[in-house]
Amino acid sequence: MSAETPAAPGTDEHYLRVFRRNFRAWRGTRPFWAGLFVMLGGLPIAYFPYANLRIGHLTLAMATTAGAGSLIIGVLLVVLGFSLWFQKHVRTFAGVAAILLALVSIPVSNLGGFLVGFLLALIGGAMAVAWAEDGPSAQQPAQVKTEGKGAAPEGAPAPGTGVADEVGEPNDLSGTSPGNEANGRQSAG
């Protein structure tokens, strides 16, 4: 093997580089960042109602009567974040549920974890709903047959079939084109 010979991907590479490339490929096929934001939003919502803040010898307990509700909301948000990672087909449900749980956390758990957890869960839920899987990057144009004079593109009506034969006549069957004096309105009769 010489210095000019390129290494085949995955054979002579460090295992961390291979892991990083595989992780990037996995992360690109699912709403990874949305799940991470939803999980990070659940942590302060679940933690703050049970936390004790110490200022010198003074202990300030932020516990509320809805501490169990805060814990349930936080755990549900973490579970929804994991489901966004490992079950990408439930992204719409998980995103809407995360948004609703973030909104419910405002009155239940110290303003949604002092607005930190609320904002993270809200942004993550919105990202999950908006996420779309990559499709084909370039659309293939319709192939045109040019066998002879007057050949029509594939899928177009053949000349002489009576469909839009006259030059300049639009092929609008809805009756709402400006040429029909309908001004975009449907006629009732």
Side-chain angles (χ1 to χ4, degrees):
M1 186 168 193
S2 68
E4 289 84 26
T5 306
T11 56
D12 292 332
E13 293 182 88
H14 196 264
Y15 69 93
L16 288 176
R17 186 174 296 169
V18 172
F19 174 76
R20 186 174 181 197
R21 185 176 51 243
N22 290 339
F23 177 70
R24 280 186 180 177
W26 175 82
R27 187 182 69 192
T29 61
R30 59 202 70 244
F32 176 79
W33 293 107
L36 185 67
F37 276 110
V38 170
M39 281 189 279
L40 289 177
L43 294 177
I45 290 173
Y47 174 74
F48 285 140
Y50 294 102
N52 291 329
L53 180 64
R54 291 187 160 227
I55 302 172
H57 293 290
L58 178 66
T59 301
L60 178 65
M62 292 179 278
T64 62
T65 57
S70 300
L71 183 64
I72 290 171
I73 290 173
V75 168
L76 283 175
L77 284 172
V78 171
V79 169
L80 286 172
F82 274 113
S83 70
L84 285 170
W85 281 1
F86 297 110
Q87 296 179 357
K88 62 184 176 182
H89 60 277
V90 298
R91 68 169 178 83
T92 305
F93 168 75
V96 170
I99 290 171
L100 291 175
L101 285 171
L103 290 172
V104 167
S105 74
I106 291 175
V108 171
S109 66
N110 295 333
L111 292 175
F114 296 119
L115 296 179
V116 174
F118 164 72
L119 290 175
L120 287 172
L122 196 67
I123 290 169
M127 288 171 65
V129 171
W131 183 80
E133 195 165 3
D134 286 339
S137 60
Q139 297 288 336
Q140 295 293 332
Q143 295 182 357
V144 178
K145 293 182 182 179
T146 56
E147 295 174 2
K149 184 179 176 184
E154 187 177 323
T161 59
V163 179
D165 281 339
E166 297 178 10
V167 177
E169 171 131 0
N171 191 10
D172 183 20
L173 301 177
S174 68
T176 60
S177 67
N180 294 338
E181 286 84 28
N183 292 334
R185 297 172 296 190
Q186 293 285 342
S187 62

